Amino acid sequence: MLQRDYTTSQLDVLEAEAIHIMREVAAEFEHPCLLFSGGKDSIVMLRIAEKAFWPAPIPFPLMHVDTGHNFDEVIEFRDRRSAELGARLIVASVQDSIDAGRVVEETGRRASRNRLQTTTLLDAIEDHEFDAVFGGARRDEEKARAKERVFSFRDDFGQWDPKNQRPELWNLYNSRIRKGEHIRVFPLSNWTELDVWDYIRREGIEIPSIYFAHTRKVFERDGMLLPDADVVKRGDDEPLFEAVVRYRTVGDMTCTGAVQSTAATVEEIIEEIAATRITERGATRADDRSSEAAMEDRKREGYF
């Protein structure tokens, strides 16, 4: 007699939960959008959105808050993948916010546009009247993100209050908002970095080349390897050298560090991640090191 295997894997459960969340948002909100940076987490969200609504197209636009200081490989991938899907891509520009006097650019060796993204993001949400915004944040990334709900409420000013969050029992989400408020939605909240890579391997998903080991000119600052780029200010005491590196996260070049690695395939990256004892943001994000509560402070202001 034919024996069928009805075993459900951990990835199956996580994927089913994420699909349920996306369909719930599509049913409950009028103007959702999906934040798509070209990074691995948003690439996985895009794959899940394809599955959630197939054979129909993804029923909401993609949006990227572009600092103008992102890696070329990632921007090329963002534009190409959006075009392949026939998706509407909205690019909210931090440079436009600077030119309009909405934000003031930092100066000095450690200047970064990363924090300026908050104003650009909130302006874009208001301009397009988005009432739900999908983000690729996971609870295992950072302690402030670990506090967030799957449906994370934002007030009239786009701000988050960690002491005033709505309960989420079983798979029930509270989608009630008043005009001007919105919800941030995190379908990958319960995923780990390893889950994301296992899913990329299982689904055969393409990712930007920057995630794989390659030779690059870098310099060291505070134990982090930052890239050689015109927008990254380097001191005379910070000499350039070549190293074989890859990126665990992608973001603004001024605050995103590389890690030394020889992992050139998805399988080798999974082996590397399984053995590491440092979180991806702890290893690669200078902006999270500015204070003990750096991420929580940014999120209170309306950051991702």
Side-chain angles (χ1 to χ4, degrees), residues 19-20 39 51 60 70 73 100 119 127 130 136 153 186 199 209 211 224 266 268 287 289 291 302:
I19 286 175
H20 166 72
K51 286 192 171 186
F60 35 74
N70 296 100
E73 303 97 312
T119 298
D127 291 345
F130 291 132
F153 173 75
F186 303 109
Y199 191 75
S209 58
Y211 281 112
M224 192 171 293
V266 172
E268 289 173 350
D287 50 331
R289 297 183 178 185
S291 74

Side-chain angles (χ1 to χ4, degrees), residues 156-170:
D156 288 328
F157 302 100
Q159 295 176 335
W160 173 61
D161 181 359
K163 294 182 179 178
N164 186 28
Q165 299 191 84
R166 296 169 172 177
E168 289 181 343
L169 304 177
W170 306 288

Side-chain angles (χ1 to χ4, degrees), residues 194 268-278:
L194 196 55
E268 289 173 350
I269 291 173
I270 289 172
E271 288 182 18
E272 184 180 275
I273 296 299
T276 189
R277 291 294 177 267
I278 303 176

Side-chain angles (χ1 to χ4, degrees), residues 277-298:
R277 291 294 177 267
I278 303 176
T279 66
E280 62 183 278
R281 292 197 71 92
T284 65
R285 296 305 292 263
D287 50 331
D288 290 349
R289 297 183 178 185
S290 59
S291 74
E292 183 66 22
M295 172 64 86
E296 182 160 330
D297 291 342
R298 295 201 303 274

Side-chain angles (χ1 to χ4, degrees), residues 53-112:
F53 304 106
W54 189 89
I58 297 172
F60 35 74
L62 315 180
M63 183 166 75
H64 181 215
V65 179
D66 189 350
T67 66
H69 293 172
N70 296 100
F71 294 93
D72 292 341
E73 303 97 312
V74 180
I75 295 301
E76 183 276 331
F77 182 90
R78 177 201 71 183
D79 293 341
R80 178 168 53 81
R81 189 71 189 112
S82 301
E84 288 171 353
L85 288 172
R88 178 188 171 208
L89 174 66
I90 299 168
V91 178
S93 167
V94 171
Q95 183 62 56
D96 289 347
S97 298
I98 295 170
D99 294 342
R102 296 282 296 152
V103 292
V104 177
E105 187 152 30
E106 298 177 0
T107 58
R109 187 190 297 191
R110 296 176 185 271
S112 172

Side-chain angles (χ1 to χ4, degrees), residues 194-243:
L194 196 55
D195 292 328
V196 169
W197 282 107
D198 278 337
Y199 191 75
I200 288 171
R201 174 175 60 178
R202 190 184 84 171
E203 300 290 311
I205 299 173
E206 182 188 0
I207 54 174
S209 58
I210 197 170
Y211 281 112
F212 300 109
H214 55 284
T215 301
R216 201 177 196 101
K217 284 186 177 179
V218 295
F219 68 92
E220 184 172 349
R221 175 182 293 165
D222 301 333
M224 192 171 293
L225 300 178
L226 295 177
D228 176 29
D230 292 341
V231 298
V232 183
K233 309 298 182 188
R234 183 170 58 85
D236 294 336
D237 58 339
E238 296 172 319
L240 280 176
F241 60 93
E242 284 193 344

